[in-house]
Amino acid sequence: MHTFYLPPHEWSGRLELSGAEAHHMGRVLRLHPGDEVLVLDGEGREALCRITAIGRQSARLDIVEEKRHPRPKSGVVLAVGWGKEARRGWILEKSVELEAAGLWFWQARRSQFPVPTDAKESWHASLVAGAKQCRNPWLPELRTLPGGVEELIRASREFDHCQVLLESGLPGQSFMSGDFLGLPGRTLCVIGPEGGFTPEEADRLREAGFQALSMGERILRWETAAVMALGLHWWKLQHPGEAS
């Protein structure tokens, strides 16, 4: 079934799509009145709808059945060191598919460019595209942290578990086994930028109580580490009874 997105504040008894969503419905998919579609609001609401009217730039829908999905009790926010644009859209879509609770971009010492002060609309569009493809009713929280590692540490105080993925071989470091995956409550998982953490950043995060974890001896690209971290947490949440 075709899936569409409508922001939460635009929901009412009768829904109306406009702009790109309506154009895609009528001009690309060539749907007609009477056809049924799925609509998501990104905050846990999902509705089976029937098209009642469709024009060039708008479409009206009646809700046939509506579901409210509760927010998951366990969630992972992935904080990625800001870097080049390449592969950023890819990780945005994957964060929805792998049910991340949030995706943060933080200003690392080795970031090549300044992180924006606010999340961009194009990032939200990538999340929506991912949600429509996989039908995840919850969009991850988007956030930027231009204040570097200190702002990241301050933001971490609202979490139950804090993890940082570092190169292997450091004292007190653990392998990212099942013991650290899919934990109850909120988990913040931090990854460095393309150039990696500076020693000062790594030490500061460990001093602040972050659990230092490794994925093995190989040095992974940031996007590989990011999708691996999300994928491992997602797998554990799908199989909570599996042995570590």
Side-chain angles (χ1 to χ4, degrees):
M1 181 175 293
H2 298 294
T3 304
F4 297 87
Y5 170 77
L6 187 66
H9 64 274
E10 295 184 20
W11 284 62
S12 60
R14 173 171 289 180
L15 308 185
E16 183 169 349
L17 300 181
S18 59
E21 292 289 271
H23 178 269
H24 187 69
M25 175 182 286
R27 300 296 168 178
V28 178
L29 298 176
R30 298 188 181 278
L31 299 180
H32 301 91
D35 290 338
E36 292 187 344
V37 297
L38 197 67
V39 182
L40 308 174
D41 78 340
E43 293 188 0
R45 184 159 43 181
E46 170 189 306
L48 174 66
C49 298
R50 183 173 293 115
I51 301 171
T52 58
I54 187 164
R56 297 181 66 87
Q57 292 296 324
S58 67
R60 291 195 297 274
L61 315 170
D62 281 343
I63 296 176
V64 177
E65 181 181 357
E66 183 175 324
K67 295 180 182 179
R68 297 290 185 114
H69 297 270
R71 187 179 292 276
K73 294 181 179 179
S74 296
V76 177
V77 171
L78 186 69
V80 180
W82 183 249
K84 294 179 181 177
E85 184 176 357
R87 312 299 283 171
R88 197 178 302 143
W90 181 78
I91 197 61
L92 283 159
E93 290 190 6
K94 296 308 172 189
S95 70
V96 185
E97 292 180 40
L98 295 172
E99 301 179 9
L103 185 60
W104 295 359
F105 295 108
W106 66 282
Q107 185 73 45
R109 289 279 184 86
R110 291 175 177 163
S111 293
Q112 296 172 313
F113 306 98
V115 64
T117 55
D118 295 300
K120 295 185 177 181
E121 185 60 34
S122 61
W123 302 350
H124 181 265
S126 292
L127 294 184
V128 169
K132 292 193 295 184
Q133 189 275 331
C134 69
R135 297 183 184 174
N136 183 353
W138 286 96
L139 291 180
E141 173 203 10
L142 280 177
R143 183 172 175 181
T144 62
L145 291 88
V149 71
E150 294 303 326
E151 183 178 7
L152 185 60
I153 289 170
R154 289 193 297 271
S156 74
R157 294 169 185 160
E158 63 189 72
F159 288 84
D160 302 290
H161 316 281
C162 296
Q163 305 170 348
V164 56
L165 294 178
L166 300 171
E167 294 179 23
S168 62
L170 297 173
Q173 190 175 26
S174 300
F175 183 74
M176 196 173 189
S177 67
D179 294 337
F180 302 101
L181 302 173
L183 300 173
R186 283 165 54 82
T187 297
L188 177 63
C189 184
V190 180
I191 292 174
E194 188 171 341
F197 295 94
T198 64
E200 295 77 15
E201 287 171 331
D203 289 344
R204 187 69 188 92
L205 289 167
R206 291 195 294 172
E207 290 169 1
F210 281 70
Q211 174 67 54
L213 299 176
S214 166
M215 288 185 177
E217 296 182 1
R218 297 288 178 265
I219 298 175
L220 303 179
R221 295 175 68 103
W222 74 264
E223 65 267 26
T224 306
V227 78
M228 278 286 289
L230 286 178
L232 288 168
H233 279 286
W234 178 85
W235 176 86
K236 185 66 174 181
L237 289 170
Q238 309 308 306
H239 305 85
E242 293 279 347
S244 301

